[in-house]
Amino acid sequence: MVGTAFKKLRRDLAFRHGRRLRQFNYWLLARVAMTMIWLLRRLPVDSALNFADRAARRIGPWVGRHNVAIANLRKAYPEKSDKEIQAIASDMWGNMARLAAEYVFLDALFDYDPAATKPGRIEVKGVEHFVQIAGEQKPHIIFTGHLGNFELLPVAAATFGMNITALFRPPNNPYLADYILSTRRSTMGSLLPSATGASFALAAILEKGGNIGVLVDQKFSSGLETTFFGRPCESNRVLGTLARHYDCDVYPARCVRLPGNRFRLEIEDKLTLPRTAAGSVDVHGTTQLLNDVVERWVREDPGQWMWFHKRWEISGPRGKHKRARNRGEAA
C-alpha cells in the first residue's frame, strides 16, 4: 500500500517536473526567437532575409531533421545524384529561414497594387479568379501547400475583398504561438486553429456561404491511403468530404518564390473533381487529385517545399505491416 502510494507520488512529481521543464524550454526558445526577431528588425528587409538564408544553409545540415529531408528526397528522386539532393536540401533550409524571417516584415513585403504601373515585390497570376471568388455569394475551397511563402496567399485574398477563413496549425510553443497568431491576424483576416472539431467549424463556414483556405500536403494519421511521388502516404479526407457535401468549387493556389526577394502568387482554374457513378464528388479521388497538384508544384520548385516533414510515414496497423514487410525484404 505504502509502496504503491510512493510510486504514484514519484510519478506525479516527475510529471510536474517534466511539465515545468518543458514550459521553461518553450519560454527560453521563445526568448531566443524574439531576440532574433528584434535583431532582424534592425536590418533592412533584403539584408535580413538574405542573412537568414545564408545562416540556415550553414546550420540546416546539422539539424536532426536534415536526415529526414535527405531520406525523403532520395525516395522522391531516386534518379538524382547525392550532390543534387544536397543542393535541394540546402535550398529548402534557405526557403524555411526566409519564411520565418518574413513574418517580421509581412506588412513591408506585401506591396501588391492592382493599379500600380511598376512591378513590386508581389505579382499575382489569376487575378480574375480572386475577383470572381470575392464577388460570388457561394462557398469556395482554396487549397495550397507549404511552398514559398504560403502565408502571403490569405493576405492577397483580403486585398481583393475575399472573405476567407484559413485553417492553420499553431506551433506547440505557446509563447511563439501567441506572437505568430497576432501577426497573422493583423494581415490575414479570419484564422481557425487546426484542432479537434475544426472540420465542423469549416463546415459551418461553408454552410453560411463563406470561403475556406486549407493546407493539404501534410501527413494525416489514419487518413486515406493515397500516393505522393508514387509512394504510399496518408492524407486528410476533410477537403474532399466538404467538397462532396457542399458541392462547391475547389481552387488550387500557391506562392512561388522569385529571385530578389520577390513572389508570384498564383490561383489556378478551379478543379474538375472526380465523381462517383451516382454523380457525387468522389472523396478518395479528390484527395488523390490534391496530392497530384501539390506534387506538380513541388517538382517545379523542389527547393521551396519542406522536405523534413515525414510525409510517407504510415501510422497504426498499416504502418506496422509495412515496417515488418520492409524488414523482411531487407533480411
Side-chain angles (χ1 to χ4, degrees):
M1 184 75 175
V2 175
T4 302
F6 178 74
K7 289 180 180 179
K8 183 178 184 303
L9 176 62
R10 187 170 61 183
R11 285 197 302 269
D12 290 344
L13 290 173
F15 174 77
R16 292 174 187 172
H17 176 72
R19 185 171 59 182
R20 289 173 181 170
L21 181 61
R22 184 167 60 251
Q23 287 298 112
F24 175 74
N25 287 336
Y26 281 152
W27 178 87
L28 183 61
L29 178 61
R31 291 303 94 198
V32 172
M34 296 307 290
T35 300
M36 291 299 296
I37 289 170
W38 182 86
L39 291 172
L40 286 173
R41 284 189 183 277
R42 309 276 75 78
L43 297 173
V45 175
D46 290 302
S47 298
L49 301 183
N50 293 338
F51 169 78
D53 183 293
R54 290 193 301 270
R57 289 174 185 269
R58 290 179 176 274
I59 297 171
W62 298 94
V63 176
R65 285 277 175 164
H66 184 73
N67 294 330
V68 176
I70 295 299
N72 283 342
L73 281 163
R74 285 177 176 151
K75 291 175 183 176
Y77 296 106
E79 76 282 2
K80 290 189 180 296
S81 67
D82 187 63
K83 183 178 180 180
E84 290 173 311
I85 294 295
Q86 294 290 346
I88 295 173
S90 181
D91 288 343
M92 176 202 70
W93 288 119
N95 175 68
M96 297 308 300
R98 286 179 179 275
L99 174 62
E102 284 157 3
Y103 272 111
V104 182
F105 302 105
L106 273 181
D107 290 338
L109 287 172
F110 194 87
D111 61 355
Y112 179 73
D113 180 1
T117 56
K118 295 182 180 180
R121 289 185 185 273
I122 307 293
E123 61 182 61
V124 177
K125 183 178 179 181
V127 171
E128 67 279 7
H129 295 316
F130 277 109
V131 174
Q132 179 181 346
I133 294 170
E136 291 181 338
Q137 301 301 311
K138 66 177 187 177
H140 305 81
I141 298 174
I142 302 170
F143 74 91
T144 190
H146 292 80
L147 290 132
N149 190 333
F150 53 91
E151 303 285 10
L152 291 170
L153 289 166
V155 184
T159 299
F160 285 97
M162 188 188 301
N163 177 25
I164 187 167
T165 298
L167 184 68
F168 80 102
R169 182 184 182 279
N172 293 329
N173 187 318
Y175 304 100
L176 287 177
D178 288 344
Y179 169 77
I180 291 174
L181 184 57
S182 64
T183 301
R184 283 173 159 173
R185 277 184 172 153
S186 66
T187 55
M188 301 179 191
S190 300
L191 294 167
L192 178 66
S194 60
T196 303
S199 59
F200 296 104
L202 293 175
I205 293 167
L206 294 174
E207 184 74 39
K208 296 175 182 177
N211 308 305
I212 61 172
V214 187
L215 286 154
V216 298
D217 57 341
Q218 289 185 293
K219 172 189 180 302
F220 189 79
S221 298
S222 301
L224 290 178
E225 292 187 63
T226 53
T227 60
F228 188 62
F229 278 77
R231 303 181 68 87
C233 64
E234 296 177 312
S235 301
N236 195 336
R237 71 177 68 225
V238 67
L239 193 152
T241 301
L242 292 172
R244 179 180 64 183
H245 186 77
Y246 295 98
D247 201 17
C248 51
D249 294 338
V250 176
Y251 286 85
R254 65 167 167 169
C255 173
V256 180
R257 194 179 294 283
L258 303 175
N261 295 318
R262 298 181 64 250
F263 310 86
R264 182 172 65 250
L265 306 181
E266 301 180 354
I267 183 164
E268 300 178 358
D269 296 340
K270 68 179 180 183
L271 295 180
T272 300
L273 303 181
R275 302 267 173 174
T276 65
S280 62
V281 171
D282 183 334
V283 174
H284 188 277
T286 296
T287 305
Q288 182 60 58
L289 178 59
L290 305 182
N291 281 4
D292 295 342
V293 171
V294 174
E295 179 180 332
R296 168 169 58 83
W297 291 340
V298 175
R299 286 187 180 278
E300 291 176 9
D301 298 288
Q304 297 191 27
W305 192 63
M306 54 172 205
W307 288 97
F308 55 75
H309 176 62
K310 297 180 180 180
R311 185 66 179 96
W312 290 283
E313 185 177 76
I314 305 298
S315 60
R318 286 181 296 183
K320 291 181 180 179
H321 293 323
K322 180 182 177 182
R323 288 189 289 274
R325 185 173 65 252
N326 290 343
R327 285 195 295 270
E329 292 172 353

